[in-house]
Amino acid sequence: MSSIFSWTRPESLNVLAAAMVAGCISASATFAGPQSVRLGQHFRDVAGYQMHGFGNVATVLERQSLGVEAFVREARDCRDLLAIPQGKEHGYDTLRETYAVIQSIKVECWVMSHVDPGVLTTPTEATDLITPAMIRGIMANARNLSAANEDWAKTLLDFSDGEIACRDKERCRLERPDGKKPPEQSVGFELVLARGDERFIRVIQMIYGRSGFVYGVRWREAGGGGEVVAVFPELQ
């Protein structure tokens, strides 16, 4: 019996087996996608801790659940919150600021729904930033949505002229130059997540400096610039 299992694998088969294993590992990495994502410094949990410091997406989702439970009556985690139709979320109070927070958390949940829970999280890099081109592209997309859909037209601020001011590389604001302080209309842009050539951006519309409608944008860089490839929520 022992002689049957004591043979030595020919060298050519060893080489072939090694090549097959390497191929399988390479294929697995390809299908698995990015092994880490970069989270923005302004993406924080309900306690104020930066999300990228928790190490992986699974833990980020747990931290998001704390925020969901703290602000939304009928939801315990991101899955529950994303299942609620837009505008039907019920907070523990009816303050406008509370609803803006709920919308912001819902956008963050949407962003993280695009990432596998096992993926690692790291801080953003020097090249991860909000650029004027992104801001102009997002506002142009808002104008197109407003022109094509009455619900979007009632919801979106889509002014074309404005002054851009950035607090840092990941947070900027476009203000309508109307001479008022604060301006009647302004739009904030915050980087939530970056991976490859994609950026997920939280967009906060403001009236006289107070937060209003909050939505998410999936932006993709391209050779000649960039484009909006998705907007959340989808208004029908």
Side-chain angles (χ1 to χ4, degrees):
M1 177 71 73
S2 60
S3 62
I4 297 177
F5 294 95
S6 63
W7 58 275
T8 302
R9 183 194 301 260
E11 186 62 26
S12 59
L13 290 181
N14 286 334
V15 173
L16 178 60
M20 291 176 66
V21 170
C24 290
I25 293 174
S26 176
S28 297
T30 300
F31 286 111
Q35 297 304 299
S36 66
V37 291
R38 306 181 299 280
L39 302 184
Q41 60 181 315
H42 302 295
F43 181 16
R44 299 170 182 261
D45 68 5
V46 69
Y49 293 105
Q50 293 179 324
M51 287 294 202
H52 66 69
F54 291 109
N56 60 63
V57 172
T59 307
V60 169
L61 291 173
E62 292 176 3
R63 303 301 298 184
Q64 283 184 295
S65 295
L66 298 177
V68 172
E69 287 188 290
F71 286 96
V72 188
R73 286 182 179 275
E74 67 272 46
R76 298 185 61 185
D77 54 26
C78 277
R79 180 175 297 182
D80 289 346
L81 182 56
L82 290 174
I84 301 172
Q86 180 66 21
K88 301 298 184 181
E89 307 90 348
H90 297 117
Y92 287 98
D93 58 58
T94 57
L95 295 176
R96 179 178 178 180
E97 291 79 5
T98 300
Y99 187 60
V101 171
I102 292 173
Q103 290 181 88
S104 183
I105 295 173
K106 195 168 186 178
V107 166
E108 294 169 351
C109 287
W110 169 74
V111 171
M112 299 312 295
S113 71
H114 291 81
V115 189
D116 186 275
V119 171
L120 302 180
T121 59
T122 65
T124 51
E125 300 173 350
T127 54
D128 298 325
L129 68 164
I130 301 291
T131 67
M134 290 178 184
I135 293 173
R136 302 298 183 192
I138 290 170
M139 295 304 289
N141 185 72
R143 289 194 296 276
N144 291 337
L145 288 174
S146 295
N149 183 289
E150 183 177 351
D151 289 333
W152 277 122
K154 294 177 181 178
T155 304
L156 292 178
L157 300 181
D158 61 355
F159 57 91
S160 56
D161 297 325
E163 300 175 355
I164 298 174
C166 295
R167 178 179 298 183
D168 52 55
K169 69 184 182 70
E170 297 179 19
R171 176 184 284 179
C172 295
R173 179 179 294 185
L174 176 67
E175 298 183 344
R176 191 166 196 165
D178 56 13
K180 301 175 182 178
K181 296 294 181 181
E184 181 180 355
Q185 296 182 353
S186 58
V187 183
F189 304 84
E190 295 180 356
L191 180 64
V192 178
L193 180 148
R195 65 175 180 187
D197 60 357
E198 290 189 330
R199 304 291 181 269
F200 288 82
I201 299 168
R202 175 170 39 215
V203 183
I204 308 102
Q205 298 187 163
M206 289 167 278
I207 303 296
Y208 292 118
R210 297 182 64 187
S211 297
F213 183 64
V214 182
Y215 63 101
V217 168
R218 185 176 185 178
W219 176 272
R220 182 172 298 151
E221 290 290 321
E227 62 178 348
V228 175
V229 296
V231 173
F232 175 86
E234 297 180 2
L235 298 186
Q236 301 300 323

